[in-house]
Short mmCIF file of all heavy atoms in Angstrom, two decimals:
data_model
loop_
_atom_site.label_atom_id
_atom_site.label_comp_id
_atom_site.label_asym_id
_atom_site.label_seq_id
_atom_site.Cartn_x
_atom_site.Cartn_y
_atom_site.Cartn_z
N THR C 580 63.82 33.35 6.43
CA THR C 580 64.06 32.39 7.51
C THR C 580 63.65 32.94 8.87
O THR C 580 63.68 32.23 9.87
CB THR C 580 65.54 31.97 7.54
OG1 THR C 580 66.35 33.14 7.72
CG2 THR C 580 65.94 31.28 6.24
N ASP C 581 63.24 34.23 8.89
CA ASP C 581 62.77 34.87 10.12
C ASP C 581 61.25 35.04 10.11
O ASP C 581 60.70 35.80 10.91
CB ASP C 581 63.43 36.24 10.30
CG ASP C 581 64.94 36.13 10.48
OD1 ASP C 581 65.36 35.21 11.21
OD2 ASP C 581 65.67 36.93 9.87
N GLY C 582 60.59 34.35 9.21
CA GLY C 582 59.14 34.40 9.19
C GLY C 582 58.59 35.68 8.57
O GLY C 582 59.29 36.42 7.88
N ALA C 583 57.30 35.94 8.83
CA ALA C 583 56.61 37.13 8.30
C ALA C 583 55.78 37.75 9.41
O ALA C 583 55.48 37.11 10.41
CB ALA C 583 55.73 36.75 7.11
N ASP C 584 55.42 39.02 9.22
CA ASP C 584 54.58 39.73 10.20
C ASP C 584 53.27 40.16 9.57
O ASP C 584 53.20 40.48 8.37
CB ASP C 584 55.30 40.98 10.73
CG ASP C 584 56.43 40.63 11.67
OD1 ASP C 584 56.21 39.77 12.55
OD2 ASP C 584 57.53 41.18 11.51
N VAL C 585 52.21 40.18 10.38
CA VAL C 585 50.89 40.62 9.94
C VAL C 585 50.71 42.07 10.37
O VAL C 585 50.75 42.37 11.57
CB VAL C 585 49.78 39.74 10.55
CG1 VAL C 585 48.40 40.26 10.12
CG2 VAL C 585 49.96 38.28 10.14
N PRO C 586 50.54 43.01 9.44
CA PRO C 586 50.46 44.44 9.78
C PRO C 586 49.42 44.76 10.85
O PRO C 586 49.68 45.55 11.76
CB PRO C 586 50.10 45.11 8.45
CG PRO C 586 50.68 44.19 7.42
CD PRO C 586 50.52 42.82 7.98
N SER C 587 48.25 44.13 10.78
CA SER C 587 47.18 44.45 11.74
C SER C 587 47.55 44.04 13.17
O SER C 587 46.96 44.53 14.13
CB SER C 587 45.89 43.74 11.33
OG SER C 587 46.06 42.33 11.33
N GLN C 588 48.56 43.18 13.31
CA GLN C 588 48.96 42.72 14.64
C GLN C 588 50.12 43.52 15.22
O GLN C 588 50.36 43.49 16.43
CB GLN C 588 49.35 41.24 14.58
CG GLN C 588 48.20 40.31 14.20
CD GLN C 588 48.64 38.87 14.07
OE1 GLN C 588 49.83 38.55 14.19
NE2 GLN C 588 47.69 37.98 13.82
N VAL C 589 50.85 44.24 14.34
CA VAL C 589 52.06 44.91 14.84
C VAL C 589 52.04 46.42 14.64
O VAL C 589 52.82 47.13 15.28
CB VAL C 589 53.32 44.31 14.15
CG1 VAL C 589 53.54 42.88 14.60
CG2 VAL C 589 53.21 44.40 12.63
N ILE C 590 51.18 46.91 13.75
CA ILE C 590 51.06 48.35 13.56
C ILE C 590 49.59 48.70 13.40
O ILE C 590 48.73 47.81 13.32
CB ILE C 590 51.85 48.85 12.32
CG1 ILE C 590 51.35 48.15 11.05
CG2 ILE C 590 53.34 48.64 12.51
CD1 ILE C 590 52.01 48.65 9.78
N ASP C 591 49.29 49.97 13.33
CA ASP C 591 47.90 50.42 13.15
C ASP C 591 47.51 50.24 11.69
O ASP C 591 47.68 51.13 10.85
CB ASP C 591 47.78 51.89 13.56
CG ASP C 591 46.33 52.37 13.51
OD1 ASP C 591 45.43 51.50 13.46
OD2 ASP C 591 46.11 53.59 13.51
N SER C 592 46.99 49.06 11.38
CA SER C 592 46.64 48.73 10.00
C SER C 592 45.52 47.70 9.98
O SER C 592 45.37 46.91 10.93
CB SER C 592 47.86 48.18 9.25
OG SER C 592 47.49 47.69 7.98
N LEU C 593 44.74 47.70 8.90
CA LEU C 593 43.68 46.70 8.72
C LEU C 593 44.16 45.53 7.87
O LEU C 593 43.42 44.58 7.64
CB LEU C 593 42.46 47.35 8.04
CG LEU C 593 41.77 48.47 8.82
CD1 LEU C 593 40.63 49.06 7.99
CD2 LEU C 593 41.24 47.96 10.15
N ASP C 594 45.39 45.59 7.43
CA ASP C 594 45.95 44.55 6.56
C ASP C 594 46.24 43.29 7.37
O ASP C 594 47.02 43.31 8.32
CB ASP C 594 47.24 45.07 5.91
CG ASP C 594 47.72 44.19 4.76
OD1 ASP C 594 47.28 43.03 4.69
OD2 ASP C 594 48.53 44.67 3.95
N THR C 595 45.61 42.17 6.98
CA THR C 595 45.78 40.92 7.74
C THR C 595 46.68 39.92 7.01
O THR C 595 46.73 38.75 7.37
CB THR C 595 44.41 40.27 7.99
OG1 THR C 595 43.76 40.04 6.73
CG2 THR C 595 43.53 41.17 8.86
N ARG C 596 47.39 40.39 5.97
CA ARG C 596 48.27 39.48 5.23
C ARG C 596 49.61 39.31 5.97
O ARG C 596 50.17 40.30 6.45
CB ARG C 596 48.55 40.04 3.84
CG ARG C 596 47.35 40.24 2.97
CD ARG C 596 47.74 40.93 1.65
NE ARG C 596 48.31 42.26 1.87
CZ ARG C 596 48.84 43.01 0.91
NH1 ARG C 596 48.91 42.54 -0.32
NH2 ARG C 596 49.34 44.21 1.19
N PRO C 597 50.14 38.12 6.06
CA PRO C 597 51.51 37.95 6.56
C PRO C 597 52.50 38.41 5.49
O PRO C 597 52.49 37.89 4.37
CB PRO C 597 51.63 36.45 6.82
CG PRO C 597 50.57 35.82 5.97
CD PRO C 597 49.48 36.82 5.82
N LEU C 598 53.32 39.41 5.81
CA LEU C 598 54.22 40.01 4.83
C LEU C 598 55.68 39.72 5.16
O LEU C 598 56.09 39.85 6.31
CB LEU C 598 54.00 41.53 4.77
CG LEU C 598 52.58 42.03 4.48
CD1 LEU C 598 52.54 43.54 4.45
CD2 LEU C 598 52.07 41.44 3.16
N GLY C 599 56.42 39.32 4.15
CA GLY C 599 57.86 39.09 4.31
C GLY C 599 58.66 40.16 3.63
O GLY C 599 59.31 40.99 4.28
N PHE C 600 58.61 40.17 2.28
CA PHE C 600 59.41 41.11 1.51
C PHE C 600 58.55 41.84 0.46
O PHE C 600 57.54 41.31 -0.01
CB PHE C 600 60.55 40.38 0.78
CG PHE C 600 61.45 39.60 1.68
CD1 PHE C 600 61.46 38.21 1.65
CD2 PHE C 600 62.30 40.26 2.57
CE1 PHE C 600 62.30 37.49 2.47
CE2 PHE C 600 63.14 39.54 3.41
CZ PHE C 600 63.14 38.15 3.36
N SER C 601 59.01 43.05 0.13
CA SER C 601 58.47 43.79 -1.01
C SER C 601 59.50 43.72 -2.13
O SER C 601 60.68 44.01 -1.91
CB SER C 601 58.20 45.25 -0.61
OG SER C 601 57.94 46.03 -1.75
N ILE C 602 59.04 43.36 -3.35
CA ILE C 602 59.98 43.15 -4.46
C ILE C 602 59.51 43.93 -5.68
O ILE C 602 58.33 43.93 -6.02
CB ILE C 602 60.09 41.65 -4.79
CG1 ILE C 602 60.69 40.90 -3.59
CG2 ILE C 602 60.94 41.41 -6.04
CD1 ILE C 602 60.69 39.41 -3.73
N ASN C 603 60.45 44.62 -6.34
CA ASN C 603 60.11 45.36 -7.55
C ASN C 603 61.31 45.40 -8.49
O ASN C 603 62.43 45.00 -8.14
CB ASN C 603 59.64 46.78 -7.22
CG ASN C 603 60.73 47.66 -6.67
OD1 ASN C 603 61.56 48.17 -7.40
ND2 ASN C 603 60.75 47.82 -5.34
N SER C 604 61.06 45.91 -9.71
CA SER C 604 62.12 46.15 -10.71
C SER C 604 62.96 44.90 -10.95
O SER C 604 64.19 44.93 -10.90
CB SER C 604 63.01 47.31 -10.27
OG SER C 604 62.24 48.47 -10.06
N MET C 605 62.29 43.80 -11.23
CA MET C 605 63.01 42.54 -11.46
C MET C 605 63.37 42.40 -12.94
O MET C 605 62.57 42.69 -13.82
CB MET C 605 62.15 41.36 -11.01
CG MET C 605 62.81 40.00 -11.25
SD MET C 605 61.89 38.63 -10.54
CE MET C 605 62.36 38.76 -8.81
N LYS C 606 64.60 41.98 -13.20
CA LYS C 606 65.06 41.72 -14.56
C LYS C 606 65.78 40.39 -14.60
O LYS C 606 66.66 40.12 -13.79
CB LYS C 606 65.99 42.84 -15.05
CG LYS C 606 66.35 42.73 -16.51
CD LYS C 606 67.17 43.94 -16.96
CE LYS C 606 67.50 43.85 -18.44
NZ LYS C 606 68.31 45.00 -18.89
N ILE C 607 65.35 39.52 -15.54
CA ILE C 607 65.96 38.21 -15.68
C ILE C 607 66.46 38.08 -17.11
O ILE C 607 65.67 38.00 -18.05
CB ILE C 607 64.96 37.09 -15.35
CG1 ILE C 607 64.44 37.25 -13.91
CG2 ILE C 607 65.58 35.72 -15.57
CD1 ILE C 607 63.41 36.25 -13.50
N GLY C 608 67.77 38.13 -17.30
CA GLY C 608 68.33 38.11 -18.64
C GLY C 608 68.16 39.45 -19.34
O GLY C 608 67.86 40.47 -18.72
N GLY C 609 68.33 39.46 -20.65
CA GLY C 609 68.21 40.69 -21.42
C GLY C 609 66.84 40.81 -22.04
O GLY C 609 65.99 39.94 -21.92
N GLU C 610 66.60 41.94 -22.73
CA GLU C 610 65.33 42.14 -23.41
C GLU C 610 65.12 41.03 -24.43
O GLU C 610 66.01 40.68 -25.22
CB GLU C 610 65.34 43.50 -24.14
CG GLU C 610 65.23 44.68 -23.19
CD GLU C 610 63.87 44.77 -22.53
OE1 GLU C 610 62.88 44.29 -23.14
OE2 GLU C 610 63.80 45.28 -21.40
N GLY C 611 63.89 40.48 -24.36
CA GLY C 611 63.53 39.46 -25.34
C GLY C 611 64.29 38.16 -25.18
O GLY C 611 64.38 37.36 -26.10
N SER C 612 64.86 37.93 -24.00
CA SER C 612 65.64 36.71 -23.80
C SER C 612 64.78 35.47 -23.76
O SER C 612 65.25 34.37 -23.93
CB SER C 612 66.46 36.83 -22.52
OG SER C 612 65.60 36.92 -21.41
#
Side-chain angles (χ1 to χ4, degrees):
T580 58
D581 296 318
D584 287 315
V585 178
S587 62
Q588 296 177 356
V589 292
I590 59 176
D591 185 16
S592 172
L593 297 177
D594 192 342
T595 58
R596 300 175 298 173
L598 304 180
F600 303 111
S601 168
I602 296 173
N603 68 78
S604 303
M605 178 173 281
K606 188 175 181 181
I607 301 177
E610 287 291 332
S612 64

